[in-house]
Amino acid sequence: SIEYTGFYLIDPNSEQLTLVMGKGLSPEEQLIAQETAMSRHPGWVLKHRRVYLSNDELISVPDELKNAPHYSQTLRIRSRLYCPIIHEEKILGTLGIASVRPNSFSDSHVKLLEFLCQVIAITQANLFSVSKLNKALSRLQHLIDVTHSGVLIEDEKRKVLYSNAELVKIFQLPIQPEVMVGEDCEVALQQLKALFKDPVQFEQRVHALLKKRQPSLGEKIQMADGRLLERDFIPLEQDGIEQGVL
């Protein structure tokens, strides 16, 4: 069994390591581990961006770690293994295991820990992306509310990502805008095209815009009941990758 585990992530504000989980450490030891992380093994891995493995810390320890503050407090540890958590060349933190017994870790432990770090890296990156998306959508929703325009955002698979109350009002739909999220936009197009003066031309124009993926602003559209709408079509991209349309 592994007596000690340390899981650290980088705080994006301070750029220092934060102890997320410390198995086998008392509350006082966790506090010390947190405060000294950058000058100990987690910080070494962060700096060198590679695996740290020592199966006898009384013999093989880098000089920069021997001279680090609080190093003497870690001498009960004989075997130690730390791996960097890296996603797309960006280091996110470190994951380490330790034992009071020498020669506790083999190549199999290294491979397993590296695999776990890859899983953690992907998970953290996805969580960060979701957080950024939620913040962006929140800001976008505020801007949409101010403009008093009907808005539909569809993703790259032509599923409704967002719609607002004004859009529902324009098309006189007996639903809340949240109900539309996840719906197929092509199905919605077929259901709503009859509301326009020239349904066939409306459908063809939508497909042409989606195919060309070029912005179109202020385009006038005549509805069957005589109302005149103005449509803006804006393709969404991130790092050259199609992300849907607004």
Side-chain angles (χ1 to χ4, degrees):
S1 62
I2 297 171
E3 297 99 316
Y4 302 98
T5 302
F7 173 32
Y8 298 83
L9 290 175
I10 295 177
D11 183 332
N13 296 318
S14 65
E15 297 186 351
Q16 301 293 304
L17 286 170
T18 298
L19 180 64
V20 178
M21 186 269 291
K23 174 193 170 186
L25 300 177
S26 67
E28 182 180 358
E29 289 174 325
Q30 289 189 28
L31 181 60
I32 293 175
Q34 166 75 43
E35 293 176 345
T36 63
M38 295 299 291
S39 62
R40 295 185 299 101
H41 305 80
W44 187 93
V45 172
L46 190 71
K47 176 181 177 181
H48 296 278
R49 300 172 65 92
R50 61 186 176 88
V51 172
Y52 174 90
L53 172 62
S54 174
N55 267 317
D56 195 338
E57 292 251 308
L58 297 183
I59 300 174
S60 59
V61 177
D63 290 338
E64 61 185 289
L65 289 177
K66 287 182 180 179
N67 300 327
H70 299 284
Y71 175 71
S72 62
Q73 298 181 24
T74 70
L75 290 181
R76 70 175 183 274
I77 302 298
R78 296 292 297 275
S79 300
R80 199 184 307 262
L81 170 62
Y82 269 90
C83 289
I85 301 170
I86 300 175
H87 181 72
E88 296 181 350
E89 302 302 319
K90 181 179 180 180
I91 189 160
L92 305 177
T94 66
L95 176 63
I97 54 179
S99 174
V100 296
R101 302 183 305 274
N103 304 308
S104 292
F105 304 128
S106 64
D107 289 341
S108 296
H109 289 94
V110 174
K111 292 178 180 178
L112 176 59
L113 204 64
E114 286 180 325
F115 173 74
L116 289 175
C117 285
Q118 291 176 7
V119 173
I120 292 171
I122 294 172
T123 302
Q124 283 297 118
N126 288 340
L127 287 172
F128 182 64
S129 296
V130 169
S131 176
K132 288 201 300 182
L133 176 60
N134 287 336
K135 290 179 180 178
L137 285 175
S138 178
R139 291 195 295 268
L140 178 60
Q141 184 171 356
H142 174 71
L143 292 174
I144 288 169
D145 291 340
V146 172
T147 61
H148 301 292
S149 299
V151 176
L152 174 70
I153 302 176
E154 61 180 70
D155 64 17
E156 66 277 8
K157 296 180 180 179
R158 297 216 61 205
K159 301 294 183 182
V160 176
L161 186 63
Y162 176 84
S163 66
N164 68 343
E166 190 65 25
L167 181 77
V168 171
K169 181 180 178 181
I170 289 172
F171 291 112
Q172 300 174 348
L173 301 176
I175 59 174
Q176 295 297 315
E178 304 83 47
V179 176
M180 296 181 63
V181 175
E183 294 296 320
D184 190 311
C185 291
E186 182 61 31
V187 172
L189 172 62
Q190 298 305 320
Q191 293 173 343
L192 297 176
K193 67 181 182 180
L195 298 176
F196 293 87
K197 184 177 180 179
D198 189 339
V200 174
Q201 194 277 336
F202 175 74
E203 179 184 359
Q204 290 175 346
R205 179 56 178 159
V206 168
H207 289 157
L209 288 169
L210 290 169
K211 183 178 181 179
K212 292 181 179 179
R213 291 190 61 82
Q214 295 295 322
S216 174
L217 305 178
E219 186 175 352
K220 301 296 190 295
I221 309 173
Q222 186 76 47
M223 296 195 72
D225 62 6
R227 286 180 295 160
L228 186 65
L229 301 183
E230 187 175 273
R231 175 177 59 197
D232 294 336
F233 175 89
I234 303 173
L236 305 175
E237 294 185 0
Q238 183 176 11
D239 299 327
I241 301 174
E242 296 180 3
Q243 298 292 321
V245 297
L246 181 150

